[in-house]
Amino acid sequence: HVQLVESGGGSVQTGGSLRLSCAVSSYIGDSACMGWFRQAPGINREWVATVYTGSGSTYYHYFAQGRFTLSRDGARNILYLDMNSLTPADTAMYFCAVRFADGCSTTPSSWNYWGQGTQVTVS
């Protein structure tokens, strides 16, 4: 069983930055996908960015490209999401997730483990 704990959310003004962290309880291996999703009130959960552990290939949703950076500390089992140039549209609960499969998916229901989320509010 994999446990994920997110941290780093908070309230910032438009144009500000935040770094989200996700601590993973166990080694994930080289055939898994790790990623960040977000969900705003009344809106379906959507993917933000993912990384495939085997290749290190990183994928970003169009709204995250150029503003968000996904990184991973494999030795410490921590996944990061650096977010810059934040706008109110980025306000949401951000979730970390893990999917044990040969590839990454943008469909939340196909992911195996989720954290509790960390709130990001931009005003």
Side-chain angles (χ1 to χ4, degrees):
H1 184 71
V2 178
Q3 292 183 319
L4 309 170
V5 179
E6 303 95 335
S7 61
S11 296
V12 297
Q13 294 186 335
T14 297
S17 300
L18 283 172
R19 167 174 260 205
L20 305 184
S21 299
C22 173
V24 185
S25 64
S26 58
Y27 178 66
I28 297 299
D30 294 332
S31 298
C33 199
M34 304 177 73
W36 289 95
F37 289 74
R38 71 183 187 183
Q39 188 167 18
I43 298 176
N44 291 335
R45 190 169 297 188
E46 61 181 351
W47 75 286
V48 177
T50 61
V51 58
Y52 187 65
T53 57
S55 64
S57 296
T58 306
Y59 308 91
Y60 296 93
H61 199 292
Y62 77 90
F63 62 72
Q65 291 176 359
R67 299 190 302 133
F68 295 2
T69 302
L70 181 71
S71 60
R72 177 175 170 242
D73 185 332
R76 297 173 61 198
N77 266 357
I78 300 176
L79 187 70
Y80 299 102
L81 184 68
D82 289 293
M83 304 187 296
N84 299 307
S85 302
L86 288 164
T87 73
D90 297 312
T91 295
M93 183 73 79
Y94 283 71
F95 298 89
C96 174
V98 169
R99 178 176 188 260
F100 289 103
D102 290 335
C104 292
S105 168
T106 61
T107 305
S109 61
S110 70
W111 290 67
N112 305 110
Y113 297 98
W114 293 87
Q116 293 300 308
T118 185
Q119 178 67 38
V120 171
T121 302
V122 186
S123 59

Coordinates of all heavy atoms in Angstrom, one line a residue, residues 44-98:
N44 N -14.6 18.9 -12.6 CA -14.0 17.6 -12.5 C -12.5 17.7 -12.3 O -11.8 18.6 -12.6 CB -14.2 16.8 -13.8 CG -15.6 16.4 -14.0 OD1 -16.4 16.3 -13.1 ND2 -16.0 16.2 -15.3
R45 N -12.0 16.7 -11.6 CA -10.5 16.6 -11.3 C -9.8 16.5 -12.7 O -10.2 15.8 -13.6 CB -10.2 15.4 -10.5 CG -8.8 15.4 -9.9 CD -8.6 14.3 -8.9 NE -9.4 14.6 -7.7 CZ -9.4 13.9 -6.6 NH1 -8.5 12.9 -6.5 NH2 -10.2 14.2 -5.6
E46 N -8.7 17.3 -12.8 CA -8.0 17.4 -14.1 C -6.5 17.2 -13.8 O -6.0 17.6 -12.7 CB -8.2 18.7 -14.8 CG -7.8 19.9 -14.0 CD -8.1 21.2 -14.8 OE1 -8.5 21.2 -16.0 OE2 -7.9 22.3 -14.2
W47 N -5.8 16.6 -14.8 CA -4.4 16.4 -14.6 C -3.6 17.7 -14.8 O -4.1 18.5 -15.6 CB -3.9 15.3 -15.5 CG -3.7 15.7 -17.0 CD1 -4.7 15.9 -17.9 CD2 -2.5 15.9 -17.6 NE1 -4.2 16.3 -19.1 CE2 -2.8 16.3 -19.0 CE3 -1.2 15.9 -17.3 CZ2 -1.8 16.6 -19.9 CZ3 -0.2 16.1 -18.2 CH2 -0.5 16.5 -19.5
V48 N -2.5 17.8 -14.1 CA -1.7 19.0 -14.2 C -0.4 18.6 -14.9 O 0.1 19.2 -15.9 CB -1.5 19.6 -12.8 CG1 -0.5 20.8 -12.9 CG2 -2.8 20.0 -12.2
A49 N 0.3 17.6 -14.3 CA 1.6 17.2 -14.8 C 1.9 15.8 -14.3 O 1.5 15.4 -13.2 CB 2.7 18.2 -14.3
T50 N 2.6 15.0 -15.2 CA 3.0 13.7 -14.8 C 4.4 13.4 -15.2 O 4.9 14.0 -16.1 CB 2.0 12.6 -15.5 OG1 2.2 12.8 -16.9 CG2 0.6 12.9 -15.1
V51 N 5.0 12.4 -14.5 CA 6.3 11.9 -14.9 C 6.3 10.4 -14.8 O 5.8 9.8 -13.9 CB 7.4 12.5 -13.9 CG1 7.1 12.2 -12.5 CG2 8.8 12.1 -14.4
Y52 N 6.9 9.8 -15.8 CA 7.1 8.3 -15.8 C 8.4 8.0 -15.2 O 9.5 8.5 -15.6 CB 7.0 7.8 -17.3 CG 7.0 6.3 -17.3 CD1 5.9 5.6 -16.8 CD2 8.1 5.6 -17.9 CE1 5.9 4.2 -16.8 CE2 8.1 4.2 -17.9 CZ 7.0 3.5 -17.3 OH 7.0 2.2 -17.4
T53 N 8.4 7.2 -14.2 CA 9.6 7.0 -13.4 C 10.7 6.3 -14.1 O 11.9 6.5 -13.9 CB 9.3 6.1 -12.1 OG1 8.7 4.9 -12.5 CG2 8.3 6.9 -11.2
G54 N 10.4 5.4 -15.1 CA 11.4 4.7 -15.8 C 12.2 5.6 -16.7 O 13.5 5.5 -16.7
S55 N 11.6 6.4 -17.5 CA 12.3 7.3 -18.4 C 12.5 8.7 -17.9 O 13.4 9.4 -18.5 CB 11.5 7.4 -19.7 OG 10.2 8.0 -19.5
G56 N 11.7 9.1 -17.0 CA 11.8 10.5 -16.5 C 11.1 11.4 -17.4 O 11.1 12.7 -17.2
S57 N 10.3 10.9 -18.4 CA 9.6 11.8 -19.3 C 8.5 12.5 -18.5 O 7.7 11.9 -17.8 CB 9.0 10.9 -20.4 OG 10.0 10.3 -21.2
T58 N 8.4 13.8 -18.8 CA 7.4 14.6 -18.0 C 6.4 15.2 -19.0 O 6.8 15.6 -20.1 CB 8.2 15.7 -17.3 OG1 9.2 15.2 -16.5 CG2 7.2 16.5 -16.4
Y59 N 5.2 15.3 -18.6 CA 4.1 15.8 -19.4 C 3.4 16.9 -18.7 O 3.1 16.7 -17.5 CB 3.2 14.6 -19.8 CG 3.9 13.5 -20.4 CD1 4.3 12.4 -19.6 CD2 4.1 13.4 -21.8 CE1 5.0 11.3 -20.2 CE2 4.8 12.3 -22.4 CZ 5.2 11.3 -21.5 OH 5.9 10.2 -22.1
Y60 N 3.0 17.9 -19.4 CA 2.3 19.0 -18.7 C 1.0 19.3 -19.5 O 0.9 19.3 -20.7 CB 3.1 20.3 -18.7 CG 4.4 20.2 -17.9 CD1 5.6 19.8 -18.5 CD2 4.3 20.5 -16.6 CE1 6.7 19.7 -17.7 CE2 5.5 20.4 -15.8 CZ 6.7 20.0 -16.4 OH 7.8 19.9 -15.6
H61 N -0.1 19.6 -18.7 CA -1.3 20.1 -19.3 C -0.9 21.5 -19.9 O 0.0 22.2 -19.5 CB -2.3 20.3 -18.2 CG -3.7 20.4 -18.8 ND1 -4.2 21.4 -19.5 CD2 -4.8 19.5 -18.7 CE1 -5.4 21.2 -19.8 NE2 -5.8 20.1 -19.3
Y62 N -1.7 21.8 -21.0 CA -1.3 23.1 -21.7 C -1.3 24.3 -20.7 O -0.5 25.2 -20.9 CB -2.3 23.3 -22.8 CG -3.6 23.9 -22.4 CD1 -3.8 25.3 -22.3 CD2 -4.7 23.1 -22.1 CE1 -5.1 25.8 -21.9 CE2 -5.9 23.6 -21.7 CZ -6.1 24.9 -21.6 OH -7.3 25.4 -21.2
F63 N -2.2 24.3 -19.7 CA -2.2 25.5 -18.8 C -1.0 25.5 -17.9 O -0.7 26.5 -17.3 CB -3.5 25.5 -18.0 CG -3.7 24.4 -17.1 CD1 -3.0 24.2 -15.9 CD2 -4.7 23.4 -17.4 CE1 -3.2 23.2 -15.1 CE2 -4.9 22.3 -16.5 CZ -4.1 22.2 -15.4
A64 N -0.3 24.4 -17.8 CA 0.8 24.3 -16.9 C 2.2 24.6 -17.6 O 3.2 24.9 -17.0 CB 0.9 23.0 -16.2
Q65 N 2.1 24.4 -18.9 CA 3.4 24.6 -19.7 C 3.9 26.0 -19.6 O 3.2 27.0 -19.7 CB 3.1 24.2 -21.2 CG 2.8 22.8 -21.4 CD 2.4 22.4 -22.8 OE1 2.4 23.3 -23.6 NE2 2.2 21.2 -23.1
G66 N 5.2 26.0 -19.3 CA 5.9 27.3 -19.1 C 5.7 28.0 -17.8 O 6.4 29.0 -17.5
R67 N 4.8 27.5 -17.0 CA 4.6 28.1 -15.6 C 4.9 27.1 -14.5 O 5.4 27.5 -13.4 CB 3.2 28.6 -15.5 CG 2.8 29.6 -16.4 CD 1.4 30.2 -16.0 NE 0.4 29.2 -16.0 CZ -0.5 29.1 -15.0 NH1 -0.4 29.9 -13.9 NH2 -1.4 28.2 -15.0
F68 N 4.6 25.8 -14.7 CA 4.8 24.8 -13.7 C 5.9 23.9 -14.1 O 6.2 23.6 -15.2 CB 3.5 23.9 -13.5 CG 2.3 24.7 -13.0 CD1 2.3 26.0 -12.8 CD2 1.1 24.0 -12.9 CE1 1.2 26.7 -12.3 CE2 0.0 24.7 -12.4 CZ 0.0 26.0 -12.2
T69 N 6.7 23.4 -13.0 CA 7.7 22.5 -13.3 C 7.6 21.3 -12.3 O 7.5 21.5 -11.1 CB 9.1 23.1 -13.0 OG1 9.2 24.2 -13.9 CG2 10.2 22.1 -13.3
L70 N 7.6 20.1 -12.9 CA 7.5 18.9 -12.1 C 8.9 18.3 -11.9 O 9.6 18.2 -12.9 CB 6.6 17.9 -12.8 CG 6.3 16.5 -12.1 CD1 5.4 16.7 -10.9 CD2 5.7 15.6 -13.1
S71 N 9.2 17.9 -10.7 CA 10.5 17.3 -10.5 C 10.3 16.2 -9.4 O 9.4 16.2 -8.7 CB 11.5 18.3 -10.0 OG 11.2 19.0 -8.9
R72 N 11.3 15.4 -9.4 CA 11.2 14.2 -8.4 C 12.6 14.0 -7.8 O 13.6 14.0 -8.5 CB 10.8 13.0 -9.2 CG 10.7 11.7 -8.4 CD 10.2 10.6 -9.3 NE 10.3 9.3 -8.6 CZ 11.0 8.3 -9.1 NH1 11.6 8.4 -10.2 NH2 11.1 7.2 -8.4
D73 N 12.6 13.8 -6.5 CA 13.8 13.4 -5.8 C 13.6 11.9 -5.5 O 12.9 11.5 -4.6 CB 13.9 14.2 -4.5 CG 15.2 13.8 -3.7 OD1 15.7 12.7 -3.8 OD2 15.6 14.7 -2.9
G74 N 14.2 11.1 -6.4 CA 14.0 9.6 -6.2 C 14.6 9.0 -5.0 O 14.0 8.1 -4.4
A75 N 15.7 9.6 -4.5 CA 16.3 9.1 -3.3 C 15.5 9.3 -2.1 O 15.4 8.5 -1.2 CB 17.7 9.7 -3.1
R76 N 14.8 10.4 -2.1 CA 13.9 10.8 -0.9 C 12.5 10.5 -1.1 O 11.6 10.7 -0.3 CB 14.1 12.2 -0.5 CG 15.5 12.6 -0.1 CD 15.7 14.1 0.0 NE 14.8 14.6 1.1 CZ 14.5 15.9 1.2 NH1 15.0 16.8 0.3 NH2 13.7 16.3 2.1
N77 N 12.1 10.0 -2.3 CA 10.7 9.6 -2.6 C 9.8 10.8 -2.5 O 8.8 10.8 -1.8 CB 10.2 8.5 -1.7 CG 10.4 7.2 -2.4 OD1 10.8 7.0 -3.5 ND2 10.1 6.1 -1.6
I78 N 10.2 12.0 -3.0 CA 9.4 13.2 -3.0 C 9.2 13.7 -4.4 O 10.1 13.8 -5.2 CB 10.1 14.3 -2.1 CG1 10.3 13.8 -0.7 CG2 9.2 15.5 -2.1 CD1 11.0 14.8 0.2
L79 N 7.9 14.1 -4.6 CA 7.6 14.7 -5.9 C 7.2 16.1 -5.7 O 6.6 16.4 -4.7 CB 6.3 13.9 -6.5 CG 5.9 14.3 -7.9 CD1 6.9 13.8 -8.9 CD2 4.5 13.7 -8.2
Y80 N 7.8 17.0 -6.5 CA 7.5 18.4 -6.4 C 6.8 19.0 -7.6 O 6.8 18.5 -8.7 CB 8.9 19.1 -6.3 CG 9.7 18.8 -5.1 CD1 10.8 17.9 -5.3 CD2 9.5 19.2 -3.9 CE1 11.7 17.5 -4.3 CE2 10.3 18.9 -2.8 CZ 11.4 18.0 -3.0 OH 12.2 17.7 -1.9
L81 N 6.1 20.1 -7.3 CA 5.5 20.9 -8.4 C 5.7 22.3 -8.0 O 5.2 22.9 -7.1 CB 4.0 20.6 -8.5 CG 3.3 21.3 -9.6 CD1 3.7 20.7 -11.0 CD2 1.8 21.2 -9.5
D82 N 6.6 22.9 -8.8 CA 6.9 24.3 -8.7 C 5.9 25.1 -9.6 O 5.9 24.9 -10.8 CB 8.3 24.6 -9.1 CG 9.3 24.1 -8.0 OD1 9.3 24.7 -6.9 OD2 10.1 23.2 -8.3
M83 N 5.2 26.0 -9.0 CA 4.2 26.8 -9.7 C 4.5 28.3 -9.7 O 4.7 28.8 -8.6 CB 2.8 26.5 -9.1 CG 2.4 25.0 -9.1 SD 0.7 24.8 -8.6 CE 0.8 25.4 -6.9
N84 N 4.6 28.9 -10.9 CA 4.9 30.3 -11.0 C 3.8 31.0 -11.7 O 3.0 30.4 -12.4 CB 6.3 30.5 -11.7 CG 7.4 29.8 -11.0 OD1 7.6 30.1 -9.8 ND2 8.2 29.0 -11.6
S85 N 3.8 32.3 -11.7 CA 2.9 33.1 -12.4 C 1.4 32.7 -12.1 O 0.7 32.5 -13.1 CB 3.2 33.1 -13.9 OG 4.5 33.6 -14.1
L86 N 1.1 32.4 -10.9 CA -0.2 31.9 -10.6 C -1.3 32.9 -10.8 O -1.1 34.1 -10.6 CB -0.2 31.4 -9.1 CG 0.6 30.1 -8.8 CD1 0.9 30.0 -7.4 CD2 -0.1 28.9 -9.4
T87 N -2.4 32.4 -11.2 CA -3.6 33.3 -11.4 C -4.8 32.7 -10.6 O -4.7 31.5 -10.2 CB -4.0 33.3 -12.9 OG1 -4.6 32.1 -13.3 CG2 -2.8 33.6 -13.8
P88 N -5.8 33.4 -10.5 CA -7.0 32.9 -9.8 C -7.6 31.6 -10.4 O -8.1 30.8 -9.7 CB -8.0 34.0 -9.8 CG -7.2 35.3 -9.9 CD -6.0 34.9 -10.7
A89 N -7.3 31.4 -11.7 CA -7.8 30.2 -12.3 C -7.1 28.9 -11.8 O -7.5 27.8 -12.1 CB -7.6 30.3 -13.9
D90 N -5.9 29.1 -11.2 CA -5.2 28.0 -10.6 C -5.7 27.6 -9.2 O -5.2 26.6 -8.6 CB -3.7 28.4 -10.5 CG -3.1 28.6 -11.9 OD1 -3.3 27.8 -12.8 OD2 -2.4 29.6 -12.0
T91 N -6.6 28.3 -8.7 CA -7.2 28.0 -7.4 C -7.9 26.7 -7.4 O -8.8 26.4 -8.2 CB -8.2 29.1 -6.9 OG1 -7.5 30.3 -6.7 CG2 -8.9 28.7 -5.6
A92 N -7.4 25.8 -6.6 CA -8.0 24.4 -6.6 C -7.3 23.6 -5.4 O -6.3 24.0 -4.8 CB -7.7 23.7 -7.9
M93 N -7.9 22.4 -5.2 CA -7.2 21.5 -4.3 C -6.3 20.7 -5.2 O -6.7 20.2 -6.3 CB -8.2 20.5 -3.7 CG -7.6 19.5 -2.7 SD -7.1 20.3 -1.2 CE -8.6 20.5 -0.3
Y94 N -5.0 20.6 -4.9 CA -4.0 19.8 -5.7 C -3.7 18.5 -5.0 O -3.5 18.4 -3.8 CB -2.8 20.7 -5.8 CG -2.9 21.8 -6.8 CD1 -3.7 22.9 -6.5 CD2 -2.3 21.8 -8.0 CE1 -3.9 23.9 -7.5 CE2 -2.4 22.8 -9.0 CZ -3.3 23.9 -8.7 OH -3.4 24.9 -9.6
F95 N -3.8 17.4 -5.9 CA -3.6 16.1 -5.4 C -2.4 15.5 -6.1 O -2.1 15.6 -7.3 CB -4.8 15.2 -5.7 CG -6.1 15.7 -5.1 CD1 -6.9 16.6 -5.7 CD2 -6.4 15.2 -3.8 CE1 -8.1 17.0 -5.1 CE2 -7.6 15.5 -3.2 CZ -8.4 16.5 -3.8
C96 N -1.7 14.7 -5.3 CA -0.6 13.9 -5.8 C -1.1 12.4 -6.0 O -1.9 12.0 -5.2 CB 0.6 13.9 -4.8 SG 1.9 12.8 -5.1
A97 N -0.6 11.8 -7.0 CA -1.1 10.4 -7.3 C 0.0 9.5 -7.9 O 0.9 10.0 -8.5 CB -2.3 10.5 -8.3
V98 N -0.3 8.2 -7.8 CA 0.6 7.2 -8.4 C -0.2 6.2 -9.2 O -1.3 5.8 -8.8 CB 1.4 6.5 -7.3 CG1 2.2 5.3 -7.8 CG2 2.4 7.4 -6.6

